[in-house]
Amino acid sequence: MNSRTPCDRRLTSLFNTNHGDVKGTEKNVLTDTWKMIFFSILLKHASLVIFAQGAGSSCHYKNGCNASNDVCSVPHPVCVTDWIGEYCQMHNIARGKPASQSSTWTYATTTFDAGKAVDGDVNTDFSHGSCSHTTEPNNGNASWHVFLGGTFLISRITIYLRGNSIGNNQAMEVLISGNTCRKLPVTDIRDSPYHLITNPVTLSCMEPTEGDNVTISMAGPYLALCEVQVFGKKKESCHCSNGCLNFPNTSCSTSSSGPVCKSPWFGGLCQMENIAFQKTARQSSTYNDGGSYCAAHAVDGNTDTDFSHRSCSHTNAADGGTASWQVLLDDHQMFNISRIRLYLRSDDQVNRKNMTVLVNGGLCNSASGTLDGTLGYGTSPFDITCADVMKGNSVTITMNGPFLALCEVQILVCSDGWFGSDCNKQCQCLNPSEVCDKGTGYCRSGCAAGKHGPGCQEVCSDGWFGSDCDKQCQCQNTSEVCDKETGNCSSGCAARKQGPACQQGTSTEYKGVASDVRFIVVCCVMAVLFVCLAVTTTLVVRLKQEVAKSKAERDEQYATLDTRGQFPVYDVIAEANLYSNDVQRGCSDDENTNTHVKKRDEQS
């Protein structure tokens, strides 16, 4: 191994092909001379996209991948258009793609159409004329859309907003193929009508989301976007370097010319991804000796542990103390992290002591007492497994000592469609495009046909089939076990059953069921009528009894004079002659009046 960059080594390999046994002849020497001349020119005038700065990925440095552009260069190499990142590894897939919006504002002769937000111009000065702009009638909600021309796994979106008229910005929502990626309340966009919190706004979905279009909607009429960058890549299920003949049932075949898996993938089925590869890294201090041993060397894809080859990071805390190294995996997205692999400097065991691994500040595992100088030279790489799956977007390694040397740090997570601590279990979701939880295997859509239980890994019990094993077999042969995915019976369907899964009733069964239903309905109606008749009859009888009782009570209270002998009270009244009739028949009113006055005077 030498100190040349990966680009140098790949370019050289192009000219090391065996062209026969004439090697060493004068003709071959002349040919080799021309090759070396061409090789020197190619290095000096490298094209915009050549080979990998990190193993396995294309180079997108603006000045090519020559020796001066190594991982420790400061400032970092400038990327070609539409590529960003520490290694220019993130591609903007939205530029120049078809775009539309809910309405379009026109001012004078300038039309602020949707395409201006994907023209590659990130200038946020609205007067420059490179922004899209809506104008919704009746202060309605505005929206903007870009169509990517294919299905991509989208990891990040950057939005450049208009630099003035900031008060027009309201709460926004970003959707990928109609599914919410992120909601941005207005407080995440601006802290006043005159000041944006940040511009551009960079966001990630909670997990990489698959889709073929991106929509930005706003709760207001004036949506102005100066540029929208969508970073993603084509989704791949197979990462074997030689392709996949029977994926995922057969392991990747060994390649004679290179590794089994494409970089940065690992595992028998290349189902584990190293998410630390070419991500932003830093350390507490940097050792320099004829060159910089910066933090980025530990995530450059080179697992060489020979320190003299200058492919390791190294701290240099001259005053002792604690050394640390950190990799930032993403600005927003969180990952399920449980497995970390360390490639340590092979010629220095003394400075391997008391390492601690943290995920977003939480303890994953401590290497104290393990990396203590007793392992020998053959113990690298060293695998660390967290006690539990941890969610985070950064990993920090600390050591109680001044010299922390890391030749490579790999953070391994499951590829989409796999889960578990070793990523050795396949998702079994009812919706085949769903990515199950990479820690537990949980599927929001439910388990695939023939599966149930935690992580949908258990096969249906005999006699049951379908998603979550919720349907019962209906076979003619009652001892037959139907197909646990489809419910198909080789012996045919049971009586009164039909259809591919023997779950549908036959016409005879339906007629019988219909007759039974009609009979039950008639019986129910008759029962209801009988109950109503009984209740009505009871109420009528009781009403008659109440009327008779009331009449008897009135007769007792208003007895006539003819019945006075039956009641002593009438006798008393009669003897007292309190209410005699003073009006004499046949007399005039004056006579009656005089008689009444006379009787009153006599009594006086």
Side-chain angles (χ1 to χ4, degrees), residues 174-207:
V174 179
L175 303 99
I176 298 176
S177 290
N179 299 314
T180 299
C181 165
R182 184 68 69 87
K183 291 184 178 181
L184 294 173
V186 68
T187 52
D188 286 354
I189 301 171
R190 55 182 173 87
D191 51 16
S192 76
Y194 313 103
H195 182 258
L196 292 169
I197 295 176
T198 182
N199 198 17
V201 177
T202 298
L203 57 92
S204 296
C205 304
M206 296 308 295
E207 61 182 22

PDB file of all heavy atoms in Angstrom, residues 174-207:
ATOM      1  N   VAL A 174     -43.767  19.811   3.329  1.00  0.00           N
ATOM      2  CA  VAL A 174     -43.050  19.177   2.225  1.00  0.00           C
ATOM      3  C   VAL A 174     -43.536  17.734   2.118  1.00  0.00           C
ATOM      4  O   VAL A 174     -43.529  16.991   3.100  1.00  0.00           O
ATOM      5  CB  VAL A 174     -41.528  19.223   2.448  1.00  0.00           C
ATOM      6  CG1 VAL A 174     -40.798  18.541   1.295  1.00  0.00           C
ATOM      7  CG2 VAL A 174     -41.056  20.674   2.591  1.00  0.00           C
ATOM      8  N   LEU A 175     -43.964  17.356   0.916  1.00  0.00           N
ATOM      9  CA  LEU A 175     -44.497  16.015   0.692  1.00  0.00           C
ATOM     10  C   LEU A 175     -43.704  15.323  -0.411  1.00  0.00           C
ATOM     11  O   LEU A 175     -43.267  15.972  -1.376  1.00  0.00           O
ATOM     12  CB  LEU A 175     -45.975  16.061   0.312  1.00  0.00           C
ATOM     13  CG  LEU A 175     -46.921  16.752   1.297  1.00  0.00           C
ATOM     14  CD1 LEU A 175     -47.217  18.183   0.826  1.00  0.00           C
ATOM     15  CD2 LEU A 175     -48.228  15.980   1.427  1.00  0.00           C
ATOM     16  N   ILE A 176     -43.540  14.019  -0.272  1.00  0.00           N
ATOM     17  CA  ILE A 176     -42.897  13.198  -1.295  1.00  0.00           C
ATOM     18  C   ILE A 176     -43.928  12.194  -1.782  1.00  0.00           C
ATOM     19  O   ILE A 176     -44.407  11.354  -1.009  1.00  0.00           O
ATOM     20  CB  ILE A 176     -41.651  12.490  -0.751  1.00  0.00           C
ATOM     21  CG1 ILE A 176     -40.609  13.527  -0.319  1.00  0.00           C
ATOM     22  CG2 ILE A 176     -41.066  11.543  -1.790  1.00  0.00           C
ATOM     23  CD1 ILE A 176     -39.374  12.929   0.326  1.00  0.00           C
ATOM     24  N   SER A 177     -44.286  12.321  -3.046  1.00  0.00           N
ATOM     25  CA  SER A 177     -45.334  11.475  -3.637  1.00  0.00           C
ATOM     26  C   SER A 177     -46.584  11.460  -2.765  1.00  0.00           C
ATOM     27  O   SER A 177     -47.199  10.418  -2.542  1.00  0.00           O
ATOM     28  CB  SER A 177     -44.809  10.053  -3.862  1.00  0.00           C
ATOM     29  OG  SER A 177     -43.848  10.042  -4.897  1.00  0.00           O
ATOM     30  N   GLY A 178     -46.957  12.626  -2.250  1.00  0.00           N
ATOM     31  CA  GLY A 178     -48.173  12.772  -1.472  1.00  0.00           C
ATOM     32  C   GLY A 178     -48.046  12.439  -0.008  1.00  0.00           C
ATOM     33  O   GLY A 178     -48.981  12.666   0.757  1.00  0.00           O
ATOM     34  N   ASN A 179     -46.913  11.900   0.411  1.00  0.00           N
ATOM     35  CA  ASN A 179     -46.713  11.547   1.815  1.00  0.00           C
ATOM     36  C   ASN A 179     -45.899  12.630   2.520  1.00  0.00           C
ATOM     37  O   ASN A 179     -44.891  13.098   1.987  1.00  0.00           O
ATOM     38  CB  ASN A 179     -45.977  10.210   1.926  1.00  0.00           C
ATOM     39  CG  ASN A 179     -46.764   9.072   1.304  1.00  0.00           C
ATOM     40  OD1 ASN A 179     -47.961   8.949   1.541  1.00  0.00           O
ATOM     41  ND2 ASN A 179     -46.098   8.259   0.501  1.00  0.00           N
ATOM     42  N   THR A 180     -46.335  13.022   3.704  1.00  0.00           N
ATOM     43  CA  THR A 180     -45.671  14.098   4.434  1.00  0.00           C
ATOM     44  C   THR A 180     -44.237  13.710   4.779  1.00  0.00           C
ATOM     45  O   THR A 180     -43.991  12.665   5.370  1.00  0.00           O
ATOM     46  CB  THR A 180     -46.433  14.437   5.721  1.00  0.00           C
ATOM     47  OG1 THR A 180     -47.749  14.886   5.380  1.00  0.00           O
ATOM     48  CG2 THR A 180     -45.723  15.527   6.508  1.00  0.00           C
ATOM     49  N   CYS A 181     -43.318  14.566   4.366  1.00  0.00           N
ATOM     50  CA  CYS A 181     -41.914  14.398   4.734  1.00  0.00           C
ATOM     51  C   CYS A 181     -41.616  15.214   5.982  1.00  0.00           C
ATOM     52  O   CYS A 181     -41.082  14.697   6.956  1.00  0.00           O
ATOM     53  CB  CYS A 181     -41.015  14.826   3.575  1.00  0.00           C
ATOM     54  SG  CYS A 181     -39.274  15.084   4.008  1.00  0.00           S
ATOM     55  N   ARG A 182     -41.988  16.490   5.954  1.00  0.00           N
ATOM     56  CA  ARG A 182     -41.724  17.364   7.094  1.00  0.00           C
ATOM     57  C   ARG A 182     -42.687  18.541   7.059  1.00  0.00           C
ATOM     58  O   ARG A 182     -42.982  19.068   5.986  1.00  0.00           O
ATOM     59  CB  ARG A 182     -40.274  17.876   7.052  1.00  0.00           C
ATOM     60  CG  ARG A 182     -39.867  18.720   8.241  1.00  0.00           C
ATOM     61  CD  ARG A 182     -39.808  17.903   9.515  1.00  0.00           C
ATOM     62  NE  ARG A 182     -38.727  16.951   9.514  1.00  0.00           N
ATOM     63  CZ  ARG A 182     -37.488  17.227   9.911  1.00  0.00           C
ATOM     64  NH1 ARG A 182     -37.199  18.418  10.351  1.00  0.00           N
ATOM     65  NH2 ARG A 182     -36.560  16.295   9.889  1.00  0.00           N
ATOM     66  N   LYS A 183     -43.180  18.931   8.221  1.00  0.00           N
ATOM     67  CA  LYS A 183     -43.990  20.136   8.365  1.00  0.00           C
ATOM     68  C   LYS A 183     -43.140  21.213   8.998  1.00  0.00           C
ATOM     69  O   LYS A 183     -42.433  20.961   9.977  1.00  0.00           O
ATOM     70  CB  LYS A 183     -45.235  19.858   9.209  1.00  0.00           C
ATOM     71  CG  LYS A 183     -46.252  18.949   8.540  1.00  0.00           C
ATOM     72  CD  LYS A 183     -47.514  18.793   9.382  1.00  0.00           C
ATOM     73  CE  LYS A 183     -48.540  17.921   8.672  1.00  0.00           C
ATOM     74  NZ  LYS A 183     -49.780  17.769   9.457  1.00  0.00           N
ATOM     75  N   LEU A 184     -43.207  22.412   8.429  1.00  0.00           N
ATOM     76  CA  LEU A 184     -42.426  23.538   8.925  1.00  0.00           C
ATOM     77  C   LEU A 184     -43.376  24.617   9.452  1.00  0.00           C
ATOM     78  O   LEU A 184     -43.990  25.338   8.658  1.00  0.00           O
ATOM     79  CB  LEU A 184     -41.547  24.117   7.808  1.00  0.00           C
ATOM     80  CG  LEU A 184     -40.427  23.222   7.260  1.00  0.00           C
ATOM     81  CD1 LEU A 184     -39.777  23.889   6.062  1.00  0.00           C
ATOM     82  CD2 LEU A 184     -39.391  22.953   8.335  1.00  0.00           C
ATOM     83  N   PRO A 185     -43.537  24.737  10.767  1.00  0.00           N
ATOM     84  CA  PRO A 185     -44.323  25.858  11.288  1.00  0.00           C
ATOM     85  C   PRO A 185     -43.619  27.169  10.967  1.00  0.00           C
ATOM     86  O   PRO A 185     -42.409  27.205  10.722  1.00  0.00           O
ATOM     87  CB  PRO A 185     -44.363  25.586  12.794  1.00  0.00           C
ATOM     88  CG  PRO A 185     -43.198  24.705  13.064  1.00  0.00           C
ATOM     89  CD  PRO A 185     -42.977  23.887  11.828  1.00  0.00           C
ATOM     90  N   VAL A 186     -44.377  28.229  10.961  1.00  0.00           N
ATOM     91  CA  VAL A 186     -43.803  29.522  10.573  1.00  0.00           C
ATOM     92  C   VAL A 186     -42.662  29.919  11.505  1.00  0.00           C
ATOM     93  O   VAL A 186     -41.723  30.613  11.098  1.00  0.00           O
ATOM     94  CB  VAL A 186     -44.907  30.603  10.547  1.00  0.00           C
ATOM     95  CG1 VAL A 186     -45.423  30.884  11.951  1.00  0.00           C
ATOM     96  CG2 VAL A 186     -44.413  31.873   9.877  1.00  0.00           C
ATOM     97  N   THR A 187     -42.698  29.429  12.752  1.00  0.00           N
ATOM     98  CA  THR A 187     -41.632  29.760  13.702  1.00  0.00           C
ATOM     99  C   THR A 187     -40.309  29.088  13.346  1.00  0.00           C
ATOM    100  O   THR A 187     -39.268  29.478  13.863  1.00  0.00           O
ATOM    101  CB  THR A 187     -42.037  29.352  15.122  1.00  0.00           C
ATOM    102  OG1 THR A 187     -42.461  27.976  15.114  1.00  0.00           O
ATOM    103  CG2 THR A 187     -43.185  30.218  15.616  1.00  0.00           C
ATOM    104  N   ASP A 188     -40.354  28.073  12.481  1.00  0.00           N
ATOM    105  CA  ASP A 188     -39.119  27.448  12.004  1.00  0.00           C
ATOM    106  C   ASP A 188     -38.583  28.132  10.754  1.00  0.00           C
ATOM    107  O   ASP A 188     -37.477  27.816  10.296  1.00  0.00           O
ATOM    108  CB  ASP A 188     -39.354  25.967  11.690  1.00  0.00           C
ATOM    109  CG  ASP A 188     -39.475  25.122  12.947  1.00  0.00           C
ATOM    110  OD1 ASP A 188     -39.255  25.670  14.044  1.00  0.00           O
ATOM    111  OD2 ASP A 188     -39.802  23.930  12.828  1.00  0.00           O
ATOM    112  N   ILE A 189     -39.382  29.064  10.198  1.00  0.00           N
ATOM    113  CA  ILE A 189     -38.993  29.733   8.960  1.00  0.00           C
ATOM    114  C   ILE A 189     -38.510  31.153   9.221  1.00  0.00           C
ATOM    115  O   ILE A 189     -37.461  31.565   8.721  1.00  0.00           O
ATOM    116  CB  ILE A 189     -40.177  29.740   7.968  1.00  0.00           C
ATOM    117  CG1 ILE A 189     -40.604  28.303   7.656  1.00  0.00           C
ATOM    118  CG2 ILE A 189     -39.820  30.499   6.696  1.00  0.00           C
ATOM    119  CD1 ILE A 189     -41.881  28.204   6.858  1.00  0.00           C
ATOM    120  N   ARG A 190     -39.256  31.898  10.021  1.00  0.00           N
ATOM    121  CA  ARG A 190     -38.884  33.285  10.311  1.00  0.00           C
ATOM    122  C   ARG A 190     -39.205  33.612  11.760  1.00  0.00           C
ATOM    123  O   ARG A 190     -40.125  33.042  12.347  1.00  0.00           O
ATOM    124  CB  ARG A 190     -39.622  34.257   9.387  1.00  0.00           C
ATOM    125  CG  ARG A 190     -41.149  34.105   9.427  1.00  0.00           C
ATOM    126  CD  ARG A 190     -41.812  35.069   8.453  1.00  0.00           C
ATOM    127  NE  ARG A 190     -43.248  34.864   8.332  1.00  0.00           N
ATOM    128  CZ  ARG A 190     -44.176  35.405   9.105  1.00  0.00           C
ATOM    129  NH1 ARG A 190     -43.799  36.215  10.103  1.00  0.00           N
ATOM    130  NH2 ARG A 190     -45.454  35.180   8.906  1.00  0.00           N
ATOM    131  N   ASP A 191     -38.421  34.499  12.343  1.00  0.00           N
ATOM    132  CA  ASP A 191     -38.687  34.930  13.710  1.00  0.00           C
ATOM    133  C   ASP A 191     -39.310  36.313  13.767  1.00  0.00           C
ATOM    134  O   ASP A 191     -39.593  36.827  14.841  1.00  0.00           O
ATOM    135  CB  ASP A 191     -37.408  34.889  14.550  1.00  0.00           C
ATOM    136  CG  ASP A 191     -36.252  35.612  13.879  1.00  0.00           C
ATOM    137  OD1 ASP A 191     -36.500  36.384  12.934  1.00  0.00           O
ATOM    138  OD2 ASP A 191     -35.095  35.384  14.299  1.00  0.00           O
ATOM    139  N   SER A 192     -39.518  36.928  12.592  1.00  0.00           N
ATOM    140  CA  SER A 192     -40.226  38.205  12.489  1.00  0.00           C
ATOM    141  C   SER A 192     -40.607  38.380  11.023  1.00  0.00           C
ATOM    142  O   SER A 192     -40.127  37.640  10.156  1.00  0.00           O
ATOM    143  CB  SER A 192     -39.334  39.362  12.958  1.00  0.00           C
ATOM    144  OG  SER A 192     -38.365  39.671  11.968  1.00  0.00           O
ATOM    145  N   PRO A 193     -41.458  39.358  10.724  1.00  0.00           N
ATOM    146  CA  PRO A 193     -41.813  39.594   9.315  1.00  0.00           C
ATOM    147  C   PRO A 193     -40.647  40.124   8.489  1.00  0.00           C
ATOM    148  O   PRO A 193     -40.798  40.313   7.272  1.00  0.00           O
ATOM    149  CB  PRO A 193     -42.947  40.631   9.402  1.00  0.00           C
ATOM    150  CG  PRO A 193     -43.481  40.505  10.785  1.00  0.00           C
ATOM    151  CD  PRO A 193     -42.300  40.152  11.631  1.00  0.00           C
ATOM    152  N   TYR A 194     -39.503  40.333   9.130  1.00  0.00           N
ATOM    153  CA  TYR A 194     -38.385  40.957   8.426  1.00  0.00           C
ATOM    154  C   TYR A 194     -37.113  40.119   8.460  1.00  0.00           C
ATOM    155  O   TYR A 194     -36.087  40.537   7.933  1.00  0.00           O
ATOM    156  CB  TYR A 194     -38.093  42.336   9.042  1.00  0.00           C
ATOM    157  CG  TYR A 194     -39.337  43.156   9.247  1.00  0.00           C
ATOM    158  CD1 TYR A 194     -39.909  43.289  10.512  1.00  0.00           C
ATOM    159  CD2 TYR A 194     -39.967  43.778   8.169  1.00  0.00           C
ATOM    160  CE1 TYR A 194     -41.069  44.028  10.703  1.00  0.00           C
ATOM    161  CE2 TYR A 194     -41.124  44.521   8.354  1.00  0.00           C
ATOM    162  CZ  TYR A 194     -41.671  44.642   9.611  1.00  0.00           C
ATOM    163  OH  TYR A 194     -42.812  45.364   9.791  1.00  0.00           O
ATOM    164  N   HIS A 195     -37.174  38.933   9.081  1.00  0.00           N
ATOM    165  CA  HIS A 195     -35.931  38.168   9.234  1.00  0.00           C
ATOM    166  C   HIS A 195     -36.191  36.660   9.155  1.00  0.00           C
ATOM    167  O   HIS A 195     -36.996  36.115   9.915  1.00  0.00           O
ATOM    168  CB  HIS A 195     -35.266  38.500  10.581  1.00  0.00           C
ATOM    169  CG  HIS A 195     -33.961  37.788  10.783  1.00  0.00           C
ATOM    170  ND1 HIS A 195     -33.852  36.677  11.594  1.00  0.00           N
ATOM    171  CD2 HIS A 195     -32.734  38.007  10.254  1.00  0.00           C
ATOM    172  CE1 HIS A 195     -32.602  36.259  11.576  1.00  0.00           C
ATOM    173  NE2 HIS A 195     -31.904  37.047  10.766  1.00  0.00           N
ATOM    174  N   LEU A 196     -35.507  35.999   8.209  1.00  0.00           N
ATOM    175  CA  LEU A 196     -35.558  34.548   8.105  1.00  0.00           C
ATOM    176  C   LEU A 196     -34.598  33.938   9.113  1.00  0.00           C
ATOM    177  O   LEU A 196     -33.495  34.457   9.321  1.00  0.00           O
ATOM    178  CB  LEU A 196     -35.178  34.091   6.698  1.00  0.00           C
ATOM    179  CG  LEU A 196     -36.153  34.439   5.567  1.00  0.00           C
ATOM    180  CD1 LEU A 196     -35.508  34.161   4.218  1.00  0.00           C
ATOM    181  CD2 LEU A 196     -37.445  33.651   5.715  1.00  0.00           C
ATOM    182  N   ILE A 197     -35.006  32.852   9.745  1.00  0.00           N
ATOM    183  CA  ILE A 197     -34.116  32.184  10.707  1.00  0.00           C
ATOM    184  C   ILE A 197     -32.905  31.629   9.993  1.00  0.00           C
ATOM    185  O   ILE A 197     -31.769  31.748  10.465  1.00  0.00           O
ATOM    186  CB  ILE A 197     -34.886  31.066  11.441  1.00  0.00           C
ATOM    187  CG1 ILE A 197     -35.999  31.691  12.290  1.00  0.00           C
ATOM    188  CG2 ILE A 197     -33.949  30.240  12.304  1.00  0.00           C
ATOM    189  CD1 ILE A 197     -36.874  30.677  12.976  1.00  0.00           C
ATOM    190  N   THR A 198     -33.109  31.048   8.841  1.00  0.00           N
ATOM    191  CA  THR A 198     -32.002  30.560   8.023  1.00  0.00           C
ATOM    192  C   THR A 198     -32.455  30.522   6.572  1.00  0.00           C
ATOM    193  O   THR A 198     -33.638  30.311   6.286  1.00  0.00           O
ATOM    194  CB  THR A 198     -31.539  29.157   8.475  1.00  0.00           C
ATOM    195  OG1 THR A 198     -30.432  28.743   7.677  1.00  0.00           O
ATOM    196  CG2 THR A 198     -32.664  28.140   8.347  1.00  0.00           C
ATOM    197  N   ASN A 199     -31.542  30.755   5.690  1.00  0.00           N
ATOM    198  CA  ASN A 199     -31.822  30.693   4.264  1.00  0.00           C
ATOM    199  C   ASN A 199     -30.542  30.268   3.545  1.00  0.00           C
ATOM    200  O   ASN A 199     -29.553  30.993   3.610  1.00  0.00           O
ATOM    201  CB  ASN A 199     -32.300  32.041   3.740  1.00  0.00           C
ATOM    202  CG  ASN A 199     -32.997  31.934   2.394  1.00  0.00           C
ATOM    203  OD1 ASN A 199     -33.401  30.856   1.970  1.00  0.00           O
ATOM    204  ND2 ASN A 199     -33.141  33.060   1.710  1.00  0.00           N
ATOM    205  N   PRO A 200     -30.511  29.093   2.961  1.00  0.00           N
ATOM    206  CA  PRO A 200     -31.637  28.197   2.681  1.00  0.00           C
ATOM    207  C   PRO A 200     -32.074  27.373   3.886  1.00  0.00           C
ATOM    208  O   PRO A 200     -31.363  27.275   4.883  1.00  0.00           O
ATOM    209  CB  PRO A 200     -31.060  27.282   1.594  1.00  0.00           C
ATOM    210  CG  PRO A 200     -29.611  27.185   1.935  1.00  0.00           C
ATOM    211  CD  PRO A 200     -29.232  28.569   2.395  1.00  0.00           C
ATOM    212  N   VAL A 201     -33.262  26.773   3.753  1.00  0.00           N
ATOM    213  CA  VAL A 201     -33.786  25.849   4.744  1.00  0.00           C
ATOM    214  C   VAL A 201     -33.466  24.425   4.271  1.00  0.00           C
ATOM    215  O   VAL A 201     -33.869  24.037   3.172  1.00  0.00           O
ATOM    216  CB  VAL A 201     -35.305  26.012   4.917  1.00  0.00           C
ATOM    217  CG1 VAL A 201     -35.847  24.983   5.900  1.00  0.00           C
ATOM    218  CG2 VAL A 201     -35.639  27.425   5.357  1.00  0.00           C
ATOM    219  N   THR A 202     -32.718  23.684   5.082  1.00  0.00           N
ATOM    220  CA  THR A 202     -32.364  22.307   4.733  1.00  0.00           C
ATOM    221  C   THR A 202     -33.078  21.361   5.682  1.00  0.00           C
ATOM    222  O   THR A 202     -33.052  21.548   6.896  1.00  0.00           O
ATOM    223  CB  THR A 202     -30.846  22.088   4.810  1.00  0.00           C
ATOM    224  OG1 THR A 202     -30.204  22.951   3.861  1.00  0.00           O
ATOM    225  CG2 THR A 202     -30.489  20.645   4.492  1.00  0.00           C
ATOM    226  N   LEU A 203     -33.715  20.360   5.124  1.00  0.00           N
ATOM    227  CA  LEU A 203     -34.475  19.424   5.952  1.00  0.00           C
ATOM    228  C   LEU A 203     -34.335  18.017   5.401  1.00  0.00           C
ATOM    229  O   LEU A 203     -33.992  17.801   4.242  1.00  0.00           O
ATOM    230  CB  LEU A 203     -35.948  19.836   6.013  1.00  0.00           C
ATOM    231  CG  LEU A 203     -36.695  19.957   4.678  1.00  0.00           C
ATOM    232  CD1 LEU A 203     -37.390  18.658   4.313  1.00  0.00           C
ATOM    233  CD2 LEU A 203     -37.716  21.088   4.756  1.00  0.00           C
ATOM    234  N   SER A 204     -34.590  17.052   6.270  1.00  0.00           N
ATOM    235  CA  SER A 204     -34.632  15.648   5.899  1.00  0.00           C
ATOM    236  C   SER A 204     -35.917  15.050   6.435  1.00  0.00           C
ATOM    237  O   SER A 204     -36.449  15.496   7.455  1.00  0.00           O
ATOM    238  CB  SER A 204     -33.431  14.887   6.476  1.00  0.00           C
ATOM    239  OG  SER A 204     -32.217  15.356   5.930  1.00  0.00           O
ATOM    240  N   CYS A 205     -36.406  14.027   5.758  1.00  0.00           N
ATOM    241  CA  CYS A 205     -37.521  13.268   6.302  1.00  0.00           C
ATOM    242  C   CYS A 205     -37.016  12.477   7.499  1.00  0.00           C
ATOM    243  O   CYS A 205     -35.807  12.313   7.695  1.00  0.00           O
ATOM    244  CB  CYS A 205     -38.097  12.324   5.250  1.00  0.00           C
ATOM    245  SG  CYS A 205     -38.615  13.155   3.726  1.00  0.00           S
ATOM    246  N   MET A 206     -37.939  11.979   8.311  1.00  0.00           N
ATOM    247  CA  MET A 206     -37.539  11.203   9.474  1.00  0.00           C
ATOM    248  C   MET A 206     -36.761   9.965   9.066  1.00  0.00           C
ATOM    249  O   MET A 206     -35.913   9.466   9.793  1.00  0.00           O
ATOM    250  CB  MET A 206     -38.768  10.806  10.295  1.00  0.00           C
ATOM    251  CG  MET A 206     -39.489  12.009  10.890  1.00  0.00           C
ATOM    252  SD  MET A 206     -38.387  13.109  11.829  1.00  0.00           S
ATOM    253  CE  MET A 206     -37.896  12.031  13.168  1.00  0.00           C
ATOM    254  N   GLU A 207     -37.021   9.457   7.872  1.00  0.00           N
ATOM    255  CA  GLU A 207     -36.229   8.385   7.294  1.00  0.00           C
ATOM    256  C   GLU A 207     -36.267   8.571   5.785  1.00  0.00           C
ATOM    257  O   GLU A 207     -37.192   9.197   5.253  1.00  0.00           O
ATOM    258  CB  GLU A 207     -36.771   7.009   7.673  1.00  0.00           C
ATOM    259  CG  GLU A 207     -38.176   6.741   7.212  1.00  0.00           C
ATOM    260  CD  GLU A 207     -38.689   5.391   7.662  1.00  0.00           C
ATOM    261  OE1 GLU A 207     -38.158   4.846   8.644  1.00  0.00           O
ATOM    262  OE2 GLU A 207     -39.618   4.870   7.031  1.00  0.00           O
TER     263      GLU A 207
END
